[in-house]
Amino acid sequence: MSDAAQPTAAEVRAAAEAVKAALDRHLDAVERRTGDDDPDVYEAFNALAAAAEAYDERLYDRYDEVTPFEIPGADDSLPPYAGPEEPHALSVLIRRDYAVAEPQRLLAQAQRITDLDPGVDDADDTGVAEHTLPVVGSSVHAALGVLFGEYEPDEIASRHKEFGLEEGDSTLWVSAVDELPEPGEWLSTPFDHADPQRVVCRFDVSAVFDEEELEDDLDDEDDLRPAP
C-alpha cells in the first residue's frame, strides 16, 4: 500500500477507541442478558467483531502490526442454535451461483435436449409436472429453462463446464423444522422463512477461501526460506 493510501495515526487511534467502546457495550449487554439467545448480546457481538476487524486492518496498514486476537466476523457466523435438540424434520436450503461463460455451448446443449425430448404438458405419476420445452433458438433465457428443467441441480453442478457455465459461490443450510409443511405450502415463497437460529450446519464454497489458503501457503513458504 502506498503512503498516500495509508491510514493516519489518528485514524488508527480512533479505531482503537471504537474497539474499547464496543467491548464496553458487549460486556454491558452480557451483564444484562435476558436469556441464552438475547438479541442485544448478538448485536453487541457483531459490533465488536466489526470494530476489531477495522482496527486490525488499520493497525496493519499503518504499522505492519497485527492484534493477538481474532473475533469471527458477523458474516462468518450464525446466531446460537435455538432449534430442537432432536429434530424430527429438516429443510435443506441450497444456493449456487453460475456465470454464463460460454453462451453458445449452453445454447447447443439446450437445443440437443429439445431435439431429443419435446416433452408433454401432463403431470406424471410422481406428481411432477412436465411442460413442453421452449424453442431455444438464440435465447439464453430459454436455454437455461431447458437445462434446469432437464437435469437435477447436483448434476448441473458436476457438469457445469459442459453446459458453458462457470461456478460462483454456493452455500447449503441444513435447518431444523418442527414438522414437514403441508404439500405445496411454501412453494410460492421457498426461502422466506429460513431461520438462522435453527440452522444445524452449513457448508460454504467460495473462491475467496482458495485465495486465503493460497496466501497462507505462500506465507508458510516465506517462513521456511532461510534468512539472508
Side-chain angles (χ1 to χ4, degrees), residues 45 48-50 52-53 56 66-73 76 212 216:
F45 173 88
L48 177 58
E53 183 178 1
D56 193 80
V66 295
T67 57
F69 54 85
E70 179 179 354
I71 300 176
D76 299 326
E212 290 174 354
D216 291 341

Side-chain angles (χ1 to χ4, degrees), residues 14 39 52 63 70 72 106 129-130 143 166 191 218:
Y63 300 111
E70 179 179 354
L106 171 65
E130 296 184 5
E166 180 179 302
F191 305 110
L218 292 175

Side-chain angles (χ1 to χ4, degrees), residues 63-226:
Y63 300 111
D64 199 24
E65 290 288 346
V66 295
T67 57
F69 54 85
E70 179 179 354
I71 300 176
D75 292 338
D76 299 326
S77 62
L78 288 169
Y81 177 70
E85 288 300 319
E86 298 183 5
H88 297 293
L90 297 172
S91 285
V92 180
L93 308 178
I94 302 174
R95 172 174 173 169
R96 294 188 178 113
D97 288 353
Y98 297 95
V100 180
E102 299 180 72
Q104 292 306 315
R105 180 182 290 272
L106 171 65
L107 291 166
Q109 290 285 1
Q111 189 61 59
R112 182 182 62 81
I113 294 170
T114 57
D115 291 343
L116 292 174
D117 183 10
V120 293
D121 282 327
D122 300 322
D124 61 20
D125 55 8
T126 66
V128 178
E130 296 184 5
H131 304 283
T132 301
L133 296 176
V135 177
V136 177
S138 60
S139 171
V140 171
H141 172 267
L144 288 170
V146 170
L147 180 67
F148 283 87
E150 177 71 11
Y151 297 108
E152 293 290 333
D154 287 343
E155 185 168 4
I156 292 175
S158 65
R159 299 173 59 187
H160 63 277
K161 292 182 179 179
E162 179 183 337
F163 301 133
L165 302 176
E166 180 179 302
E167 284 184 311
D169 288 355
S170 67
T171 188
L172 181 150
W173 291 22
V174 179
S175 180
V177 295
D178 294 326
E179 57 184 16
L180 285 180
E182 293 296 323
E185 181 178 331
W186 52 257
L187 289 179
S188 61
T189 55
F191 305 110
D192 284 4
H193 304 293
D195 184 352
Q197 289 189 306
R198 283 178 165 255
V199 174
V200 178
C201 57
R202 62 179 288 180
F203 304 93
D204 300 322
V205 177
S206 174
V208 70
F209 300 141
D210 296 334
E211 293 169 1
E212 290 174 354
E213 290 175 2
L214 177 59
E215 290 174 358
D216 291 341
D217 290 342
L218 292 175
D219 290 340
D220 292 341
E221 289 180 7
D222 289 339
D223 292 340
L224 293 173
R225 288 174 185 157

Side-chain angles (χ1 to χ4, degrees), residues 9-32:
E11 288 173 331
V12 178
R13 175 64 60 180
E17 294 300 325
V19 173
K20 297 175 187 178
L23 277 168
D24 288 338
R25 177 187 171 192
H26 183 258
L27 178 58
D28 184 59
V30 170
E31 290 174 339
R32 294 184 294 104

